[in-house]
């Protein structure tokens, strides 16, 4: 299992697919970072995908950091009670 | 709200069992969807939600007939055509009201208050909807929820579930198609009482919006969640004799037959004045109402009202008048719209006086306005508190009296109750399908529920720049022989208020010499002490006797204070001095106001004969109430003398002790005003100059009493310092000095001197507790002291050094003036002082002087300051050596 942190970029128009792809990296890593800097708004399916990804990461005991999350998206994650599943980096 | 709902939902707070695990999973999925949708919704702009709302409204209008038909088929209540109208009102009228309203971001800017109002969505709402207005209520709540960016979980009445679920589906699909988040509206399938109870208590539900009967409302409010509970009514109608009969009868029929009377705001009992009673009934009959005779009334009430509960029978709700008549066994014309039955009272013994959500109307003949109003009150209290009432009248006085007497959130005038209460059709009430019934109905609001109730309104309050002031007498004359200016003030009769010694010294004669020659002068000699009530009364008696148009106060602070109070009582005899002395925190917000606009009967000219109190320019006056053994401090700018004459010739013979005492009083005024929280650039200019003059001239005035320049400058300094503290006030030093001086009979100047170095060190240190003050930015007392040190050229590099040097210079000055440097030196035994401390601390804390002090004194700190003053020299400097971290 690799211990260095892999950082995956999340495309604003492709949140669900990118998160699905990120799920594949969960088995191989203890730490993972997702770059959300390009995501300025998130819709319901996108949020559900984040929720699902958070569950998987928890199951796999992988620490996930979300990088560059905008304040609007951060508030959305907060209201959806998802922030406790991740760490946040600027 | 109808009886079926009462029975089915009454037990909501205490469901027998909770939902099954499977059911909980289902309910959790609804909440989860709603939570996600609500979270996503927070990112939407005003334009986003307005676009979605418009599409939903259009869809609702298009489906109005479809939904109305479904509602009637499923519930078997009401009139299809009327339900179409209700659905359309719920869309179109509500849209018209909300379309231009801001519900996202800044919703209101109030620049004059420096306040911005911003909208915060609630999040997830749990909404119960009734059987009586099922689809219209759903349409209304969906539109309002989208406008305010909330998600809603609906739980319709079980007997109206299908039509409501269809309304929810239409709204959801339209909203999502136009960009709303998935899961924004869901509808609990086959909802049960345990389901409702579970959702009402769910942590993710932010608000319960319960439209229904008392059971629903009670359950909602008992859940511990914020709730809008909208319950049943019992609308009284007063058809007053001046009302337009034609309009009234048609309006009542429109309202009471609309959707077969299912709207809870519809008319229940019409109270008609005797003068128009017969005509009114005839008109009802002409327009299609059946007037029941006594026998028919008995039959009717036995059938449509449950004799056990006293509530209406569910089978009658929303049925046509002819169907009810047939069921009861009455013979009526086929086109009968309404059944009317006369009642002779209100209550259980008059069954038809309760809410009847079907086209049966009770009427009551009133012999007088008083009887009519009382009957309306009775109906209002028989299940209709907080809901709706109606009056038809042209008499504005009666309308207002009705409005005053009846407890109803909506009092509808000269229009139909049901449609009037819905708003926006017959009046300018906010359109709604949810009537707040206030505390009378167990609700939190009497409003017509709308967007404002679906929002958390945040207020962004910016710091305001409070107005400050600088008020001093209109005219101040100063320097040697300034008294000559008296001649320019014409007066027919002048009273000189002074004391025996000053008359003896010839000061009164000097004043007389410079007055207008034709002035009649009378001298009012009073004791040289803080004025007593009796002395004031005598002075006012003299002023009235001579009808004086000018008062000259010649003397020290006490004399001038006495003249201020005499003038107040002379011009406002009704002024209650005890009341005017009531405590206050902010002069502009005080509870007790001084008499306003009183006639200026006399000009007050103040000529001080000491150089300290500055009473000639201050708005303060102290009075002694010997009978009650207390001092009364009056403070108001209307007490400020009109003219001040600061002529040093009157202080040339001041004894050394008095020179020192008054001089240090002046210095304390200036130092306290300088660091006061009310200090401004205007008061600072005066405070700083006064401090400079005191340090420069007080030692000379003390050592060489006949030095004219020193006397003149100290006289000016006292007046200038008083101008500063008149506007910036004093501080904790004065509070301590007042308490200590009063307890041990020590002169005010000496008491001030004993406290001063310690209070300076105290104010210069980092406060234990900061004093809230909108006037100052940050803590600056130590910086102000350092500025004083610079002004005096005391040297020092750091703020701390400068503060220390100022304290040292003050101590040196006190030494020069021969002041005792500790309370112990006064010969006050330690144990006696210790015993006095609690009483002195209480008095000092009650003293308003410290309210403007930069540092808020804690009781324990007052104790410590008293002890420092007792111990004396050296303790102040030690305190000031604390780090200046602010």
């Amino acid at each position: 299992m690799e211990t260095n942190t892999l950082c995956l970029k999340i495309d604003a128009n492709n949140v669900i697919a990118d998160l699905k792809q990120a799920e594949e990296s969960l088995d191989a890593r203890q730490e993972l970072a997702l770059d959300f800097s390009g995501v300025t708004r998130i819709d319901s399916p996108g949020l559900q995908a984040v929720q699902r990804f958070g569950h998987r990461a928890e199951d796999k005991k992988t620490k996930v950091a979300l990088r560059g999350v905008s304040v609007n998206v951060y508030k959305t994650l907060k209201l959806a009670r998802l922030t406790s599943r991740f760490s946040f980096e600027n | 709200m109808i009886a079926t709902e009462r029975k089915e939902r009454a037990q909501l707070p205490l469901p027998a069992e909770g939902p099954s695990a499977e059911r909980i999973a289902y309910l959790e999925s609804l909440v989860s969807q709603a939570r996600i949708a609500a979270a996503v919704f927070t990112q939407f702009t005003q334009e986003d939600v307005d676009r979605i709302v418009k599409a939903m409204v259009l869809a609702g209008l298009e489906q109005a007939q479809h939904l109305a038909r479904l509602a009637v088929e499923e519930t078997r209540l009401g009139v299809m055509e009327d339900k179409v109208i209700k659905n359309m009102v719920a869309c179109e009228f509500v849209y018209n009201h909300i379309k231009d309203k801001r519900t996202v971001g800044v919703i209101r800017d109030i620049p004059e208050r420096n306040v911005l109002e911003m909208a915060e969505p609630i999040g997830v709402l749990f909404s119960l909807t009734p059987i009586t207005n099922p689809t219209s209520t759903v349409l209304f709540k969906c539109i309002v929820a989208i406008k305010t960016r909330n998600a809603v979980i609906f739980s319709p009445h079980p007997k109206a579930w299908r039509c409501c679920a269809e309304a929810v589906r239409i709204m959801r699909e339209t909203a999502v198609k136009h960009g709303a988040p998935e899961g924004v509206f869901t509808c609990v399938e086959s909802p049960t009482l345990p389901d409702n109870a579970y959702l009402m208590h769910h942590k993710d539900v932010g608000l319960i919006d319960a439209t229904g009967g008392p059971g629903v409302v009670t359950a909602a409010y008992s859940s511990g969640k914020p709730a809008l509970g909208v319950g049943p009514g019992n609308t009284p109608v007063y058809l007053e004799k001046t009302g337009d009969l034609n309009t009234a009868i048609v309006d009542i029929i429109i309202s009471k037959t609309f959707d077969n009377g299912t709207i809870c705001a519809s008319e229940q009992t019409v109270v008609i004045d005797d003068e128009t009673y017969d005509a009114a009934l005839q008109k009802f009959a002409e327009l299609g109402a059946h007037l029941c005779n006594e026998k028919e009334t008995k039959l009717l009430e036995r059938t449509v009202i449950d004799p056990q509960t006293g509530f209406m029978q569910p089978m009658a709700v929303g049925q046509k008048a002819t169907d009810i008549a047939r069921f009861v066994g009455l013979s009526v014309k086929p086109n009968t719209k309404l059944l009317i039955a006369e009642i002779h009272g209100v209550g259980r013994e008059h069954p038809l006086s309760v809410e009847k959500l079907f086209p049966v109307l009770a009427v009551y003949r009133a012999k007088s306005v008083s009887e009519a109003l009382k009957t309306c009150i009775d109906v209002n209290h028989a299940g209709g508190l907080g809901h709706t009432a109606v009056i038809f009248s042209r008499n504005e006085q009666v309308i207002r009296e009705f409005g005053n007497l009846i407890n109803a959130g909506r009092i509808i005038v000269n229009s139909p109750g049901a449609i009037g209460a819905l708003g926006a059709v017959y009046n300018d009430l906010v359109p709604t399908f949810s009537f707040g019934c206030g505390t009378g109905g167990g609700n939190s609001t009497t409003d017509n529920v709308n967007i404002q109730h679906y929002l958390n309104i945040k207020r962004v309050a910016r710091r305001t720049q409070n107005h400050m002031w600088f008020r001093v007498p209109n005219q101040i004359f100063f320097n040697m022989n300034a008294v000559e200016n008296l001649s320019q003030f014409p007066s027919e009769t002048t009273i000189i208020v002074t004391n025996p010694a000053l008359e003896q010294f010839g000061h009164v004669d000097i004043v007389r010499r410079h007055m207008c020659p034709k002035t009649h002068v009378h001298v009012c000699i009073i004791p040289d002490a803080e004025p007593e009530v009796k002395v004031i009364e005598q002075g006012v008696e003299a002023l009235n006797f001579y009808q004086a148009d000018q008062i000259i106060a010649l003397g020290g602070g006490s004399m001038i204070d006495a003249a201020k109070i005499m003038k107040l009582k002379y011009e406002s005899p009704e002024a209650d001095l005890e009341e005017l002395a009531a405590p206050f925190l902010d002069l502009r917000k005080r509870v007790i106001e001084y008499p306003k606009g009183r006639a200026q009967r006399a000009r007050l000219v103040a000529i001080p004969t000491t150089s300290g109190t500055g009473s000639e320019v201050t708005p303060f006056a102290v009075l002694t109430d010997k009978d009650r053994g207390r001092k009364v401090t009056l403070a108001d700018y209307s007490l400020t003398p009109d003219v001040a004459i600061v002529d040093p010739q009157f202080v040339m013979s001041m004894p050394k002790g008095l020179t020192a005492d008054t001089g240090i009083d002046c210095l304390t005024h200036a130092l306290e005003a300088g660091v006061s929280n009310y200090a401004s650039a205007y008061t600072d200019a005066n405070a700083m100059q006064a401090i400079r003059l005191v340090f420069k001239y007080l030692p000379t005035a003390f050592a060489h009493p006949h030095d004219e320049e020193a006397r003149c400058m100290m006289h000016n300094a006292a007046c200038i310092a008083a101008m500063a503290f008149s506007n910036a006030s004093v501080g904790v030093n004065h509070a301590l000095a007042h308490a200590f001086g009063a307890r041990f009979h020590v002169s005010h100047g000496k008491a001030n001197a004993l406290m001063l170095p310690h209070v300076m060190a105290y104010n210069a240190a980092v406060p234990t507790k900061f004093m809230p003050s909108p006037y100052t930015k940050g803590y600056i007392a130590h910086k102000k002291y350092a500025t004083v040190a610079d002004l005096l050229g005391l040297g020092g590099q750091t703020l701390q050094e400068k503060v220390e040097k100022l304290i040292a210079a003050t101590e040196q000055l006190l030494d020069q003036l021969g002041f005792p440097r500790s309370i112990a030196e006064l010969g006050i035994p330690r144990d006696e002082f210790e015993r006095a401390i609690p009483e002195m601390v209480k008095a000092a804390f009650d003293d308003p002087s410290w309210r403007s002090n930069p540092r808020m004194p804690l009781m324990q700190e007052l104790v410590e300051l008293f002890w420092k003053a007792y111990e004396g020299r050296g303790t102040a400097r030690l305190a000031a050596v604390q780090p200046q971290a602010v």
Side-chain angles (χ1 to χ4, degrees):
Chain A
M1 186 175 281
E2 293 180 39
T3 53
N4 58 325
T5 306
L6 174 71
C7 182
L8 299 172
K9 176 97 178 161
I10 304 297
D11 179 359
N13 299 317
N14 220 12
V15 174
I16 299 169
D18 285 354
L19 286 173
K20 195 132 189 106
Q21 201 179 348
E23 278 179 28
E24 291 166 13
S25 308
L26 289 174
D27 281 331
R29 299 187 174 273
Q30 287 179 332
E31 291 180 359
L32 186 66
L34 302 178
D35 181 356
F36 265 74
S37 58
V39 181
T40 54
R41 187 164 162 161
I42 191 161
D43 59 10
S44 296
L47 207 53
Q48 279 160 351
V50 174
Q51 190 176 29
R52 195 169 50 244
F53 181 82
H55 279 307
R56 295 273 157 77
E58 221 165 58
D59 292 346
K60 303 283 183 190
K61 297 193 173 15
T62 305
K63 289 179 184 168
V64 179
L66 304 189
R67 286 186 184 163
V69 176
S70 73
V71 283
N72 281 333
V73 172
Y74 183 80
K75 183 175 178 182
T76 307
L77 295 172
K78 193 86 185 168
L79 290 170
R81 300 190 194 284
L82 294 176
T83 49
S84 60
R85 297 179 195 278
F86 309 101
S87 62
F88 289 84
E89 295 171 3
N90 288 324
Chain B
M1 178 60 203
I2 65 167
T4 47
E5 282 172 290
R6 279 201 183 92
K7 286 176 183 169
E8 287 165 17
R9 291 181 168 180
Q11 299 304 315
L12 258 177
L14 297 166
E17 286 178 15
S20 65
E22 194 183 347
R23 191 65 178 170
I24 286 175
Y26 164 69
L27 296 173
E28 283 295 336
S29 76
L30 297 184
V31 176
S32 175
Q33 285 178 59
R35 187 179 64 229
I36 296 280
V40 170
F41 225 160
T42 59
Q43 304 165 101
F44 281 44
T45 64
Q46 187 72 63
E47 291 69 32
D48 291 336
V49 297
D50 287 349
R51 188 183 64 248
I52 302 166
V53 164
K54 189 170 184 181
M56 289 166 65
V57 166
L58 289 171
L61 288 169
E62 198 175 303
Q63 300 294 333
Q65 197 182 129
H66 164 60
L67 292 172
R69 192 179 300 279
L70 283 183
V72 172
E73 284 173 4
E74 186 181 7
T75 64
R76 305 275 170 201
L77 306 181
V79 180
M80 206 278 277
E81 292 83 350
D82 289 340
K83 287 199 186 293
V84 175
I85 300 293
K86 279 196 212 175
N87 288 339
M88 294 182 80
V89 167
C91 296
E92 186 175 282
F93 282 60
V94 171
Y95 179 70
N96 192 56
H97 174 72
I98 65 174
K99 65 180 170 146
D100 296 322
K101 296 207 164 36
R102 290 203 61 84
T103 49
V104 179
V106 175
I107 57 174
R108 195 166 162 228
D109 187 359
I110 316 168
E112 67 275 16
R113 289 175 51 207
N114 251 343
V115 169
L116 273 186
E117 287 185 350
M118 301 188 80
E120 176 81 20
I122 286 162
V124 178
L125 276 68
F126 177 50
S127 180
L128 294 110
T129 55
I131 187 172
T132 45
N133 309 295
T135 56
S136 50
T137 304
V138 169
L139 294 175
F140 165 74
K141 291 186 176 181
C142 284
I143 291 164
V144 172
I146 288 286
K147 180 75 179 180
T148 49
R149 299 183 295 166
N150 291 301
V152 188
I153 302 168
F154 283 98
S155 175
H157 188 279
K159 289 184 176 169
W161 184 83
R162 283 180 203 287
C163 61
C164 288
E166 175 65 357
V168 171
R169 182 194 66 77
I170 291 166
M171 290 289 99
R172 182 183 59 241
E173 287 184 3
T174 309
V176 171
K177 184 178 165 190
H178 289 83
E182 301 274 357
V184 69
F185 300 133
T186 51
C187 188
V188 182
E189 282 183 32
S190 310
T192 62
L193 297 180
D195 290 347
N196 289 341
Y198 185 83
L199 290 170
M200 279 188 185
H201 290 85
H202 199 287
K203 70 180 191 317
D204 286 341
V205 169
L207 175 77
I208 301 164
D209 183 6
T211 309
V216 170
V217 174
T218 305
Y221 281 123
S222 306
S223 68
K225 294 276 178 196
L228 294 166
V230 177
N234 189 22
T235 302
V237 184
Y238 181 21
L239 177 41
E240 195 260 342
K241 54 184 170 288
T242 63
D244 178 344
L245 217 53
N246 288 324
T247 305
I249 303 302
V250 170
D251 281 358
I252 292 168
I253 293 175
I254 287 172
S255 183
K256 189 62 186 169
T257 60
F258 188 74
D259 206 16
N260 284 342
T262 52
I263 295 180
C264 50
S266 61
E267 294 79 350
Q268 305 301 331
T269 297
V270 184
V271 178
I272 308 170
D273 276 340
D274 187 43
E275 295 89 331
T276 52
Y277 186 83
D278 294 331
L281 289 199
Q282 191 183 335
K283 186 68 74 183
F284 269 122
E286 285 168 11
L287 294 174
H290 174 82
L291 308 180
C292 297
N293 58 31
E294 208 172 320
K295 190 178 162 199
E296 288 173 328
T297 300
K298 287 283 173 206
L299 275 173
L300 186 64
E301 64 188 27
R302 272 205 299 268
T303 317
V304 298
I305 304 298
D306 183 337
Q308 300 299 317
T309 64
F311 293 124
M312 59 190 151
Q313 291 282 16
M315 60 80 187
V317 171
Q319 305 306 311
K320 286 194 288 189
T322 48
D323 289 345
I324 294 171
R326 190 172 60 249
F327 193 79
V328 171
L330 307 182
S331 175
V332 299
K333 290 178 188 164
N335 59 350
T336 297
K337 300 181 180 76
L338 189 62
L339 304 177
I340 291 182
E342 191 173 45
I343 59 172
H344 303 286
V346 176
R348 283 301 290 270
E349 58 277 28
H350 307 281
L352 290 171
S353 62
V354 298
E355 184 183 38
K356 307 167 288 294
L357 293 181
F358 39 82
V360 170
L361 189 66
V363 291
Y364 181 96
R365 182 196 288 264
K367 297 287 194 301
S368 64
V369 172
S370 163
E371 185 188 345
L373 291 172
K374 283 177 188 162
T375 308
C376 287
I377 291 171
D378 288 341
V379 175
N380 183 223
H381 281 252
L385 280 177
H387 207 293
T388 304
V390 180
I391 181 168
F392 289 93
S393 173
R394 290 191 181 96
N395 185 331
E396 186 57 30
Q397 199 183 333
V398 174
I399 293 170
R400 282 172 188 258
E401 196 177 355
F402 184 78
N404 189 41
L405 290 168
I406 301 296
N407 178 357
R410 287 143 292 277
I411 292 167
I412 308 298
V413 180
N414 295 327
S415 19
I419 308 169
L422 287 177
V425 182
Y426 279 88
N427 50 44
D428 203 25
L429 288 179
V430 171
T432 192
F433 277 78
S434 214
F435 304 117
C437 295
T439 55
N443 306 162
S444 59
T445 177
T446 53
D447 289 352
N448 276 6
V449 172
N450 205 286
I451 48 175
Q452 70 272 28
H453 302 97
Y454 275 27
L455 282 175
N456 290 307
I457 296 173
K458 304 175 283 190
R459 274 129 197 136
V460 180
R462 293 190 185 85
R463 190 179 181 123
T464 49
Q465 182 69 50
N466 281 339
H467 297 172
M468 296 182 79
W469 58 84
F470 188 75
R471 296 171 70 167
V472 290
N474 276 344
Q475 301 179 69
I476 302 170
F477 300 94
F478 53 93
N479 286 350
M480 193 58 82
N481 296 320
V483 72
E484 290 169 8
N485 289 283
L486 260 184
S487 60
Q488 61 181 283
F489 297 105
S491 163
E492 280 187 22
T493 309
T494 292
I495 299 274
I496 300 176
V497 179
T498 191
N499 66 40
L502 294 172
E503 195 184 33
Q504 223 172 353
F505 289 160
H507 287 351
V508 174
D509 291 335
I510 297 171
V511 170
R512 274 175 183 269
R513 268 205 300 279
H514 295 291
M515 293 175 63
C516 293
K518 289 180 184 171
T519 305
H520 297 286
V521 180
H522 304 275
V523 180
C524 175
I525 305 287
I526 62 172
D528 187 18
E530 267 172 10
E532 290 176 39
V533 174
K534 212 167 85 181
V535 169
I536 299 296
E537 284 169 357
Q538 287 166 355
V540 175
E541 208 174 301
L543 289 168
N544 278 316
F545 182 80
Y546 292 113
Q547 289 295 298
D549 57 12
Q550 182 166 266
I551 306 165
I552 295 179
L554 177 68
S558 307
M559 215 53 54
I560 298 174
D561 283 1
K564 286 176 184 176
I565 303 169
M566 286 176 192
K567 179 173 170 2
L568 170 69
K569 289 293 284 181
Y570 180 46
E571 293 175 347
S572 304
E574 76 288 356
D576 180 340
L577 299 180
E578 185 76 18
E579 187 181 90
L580 293 179
F584 62 89
L585 196 59
D586 185 329
L587 203 62
R588 292 168 303 181
K589 293 172 183 166
R590 65 195 307 171
V591 178
I592 302 297
E593 291 186 354
Y594 276 63
K596 277 183 184 160
R598 62 183 203 242
Q600 165 100 355
R601 293 181 68 188
R603 177 190 310 118
L604 176 58
V605 180
I607 305 175
T609 59
T610 59
S611 306
T613 68
S615 185
E616 67 276 11
V617 291
T618 68
F620 311 114
V622 180
L623 175 74
T624 297
D625 186 346
K626 272 206 169 162
D627 291 345
R628 299 189 193 187
R630 52 170 292 192
K631 283 183 182 182
V632 176
T633 302
L634 303 176
D636 191 79
Y637 284 101
S638 64
L639 295 172
T640 309
D642 304 294
V643 179
I645 294 179
V646 186
D647 187 337
Q649 70 174 299
F650 297 107
V651 294
M652 294 302 293
S653 55
M654 240 194 335
K656 285 183 91 165
L658 191 56
T659 302
D661 267 19
T662 52
I664 287 303
D665 189 23
C666 161
L667 178 64
T668 311
H669 289 156
L671 281 167
E672 295 215 281
V675 296
S676 158
N677 276 341
Y678 290 165
S680 67
Y682 293 79
T683 57
D684 278 357
N686 287 275
M688 297 294 169
Q689 181 68 346
I691 293 165
R692 196 184 67 78
L693 290 173
V694 171
F695 272 94
K696 187 169 179 185
Y697 291 105
L698 181 54
T700 311
F702 179 75
H704 308 287
H706 298 293
D707 185 311
E708 201 172 298
E709 187 191 8
R711 284 294 196 189
C712 181
M713 290 303 159
M714 275 310 298
H715 212 34
N716 286 339
C719 183
I720 293 167
M723 284 193 268
F725 89 85
S726 291
N727 295 282
S729 191
V730 284
V732 83
N733 203 96
H734 267 78
L736 294 167
H738 287 153
F740 168 67
R743 173 64 181 77
F744 288 102
H745 309 292
V746 174
S747 73
H748 181 58
K750 199 176 282 177
N752 268 331
L754 285 162
M755 308 294 164
L756 190 56
H758 311 288
V759 169
M760 289 167 74
Y762 170 78
N763 281 338
V766 178
T768 313
K769 199 167 177 59
F770 289 101
M771 187 79 176
S773 167
Y775 303 102
T776 51
K777 289 185 176 173
Y779 195 74
I780 54 170
H782 55 304
K783 293 178 186 168
K784 298 287 281 286
Y785 286 138
T787 305
V788 173
D790 287 342
L791 179 77
L792 298 176
L794 299 177
Q797 295 297 313
T798 63
L799 285 176
Q800 190 177 319
E801 283 172 12
K802 289 175 183 182
V803 172
E804 282 179 45
K805 284 186 182 294
L806 178 63
I807 294 171
T810 305
E811 291 193 312
Q812 195 184 340
L813 178 63
L814 297 174
D815 286 339
Q816 271 181 283
L817 299 173
F819 277 103
R821 298 305 318 287
S822 71
I823 293 173
E825 282 178 43
L826 298 177
I828 296 170
R830 192 179 185 85
D831 57 341
E832 189 186 345
F833 187 73
E834 190 166 8
R835 279 198 303 276
I837 288 250
E839 180 199 329
M840 290 195 299
V841 166
K842 185 179 180 305
F845 198 79
D846 282 345
D847 194 307
S849 302
W850 67 258
R851 308 278 194 267
S852 48
N853 198 68
R855 179 173 176 174
M856 184 168 179
L858 301 177
M859 298 276 198
Q860 184 54 36
E861 291 174 344
L862 294 177
V863 173
E864 287 163 13
L865 282 166
F866 273 129
W867 276 118
K868 280 184 175 157
Y870 189 88
E871 302 294 347
R873 192 186 299 277
T875 51
R877 284 197 225 181
L878 284 175
V881 179
Q882 288 176 10
Q884 298 292 335
V886 180

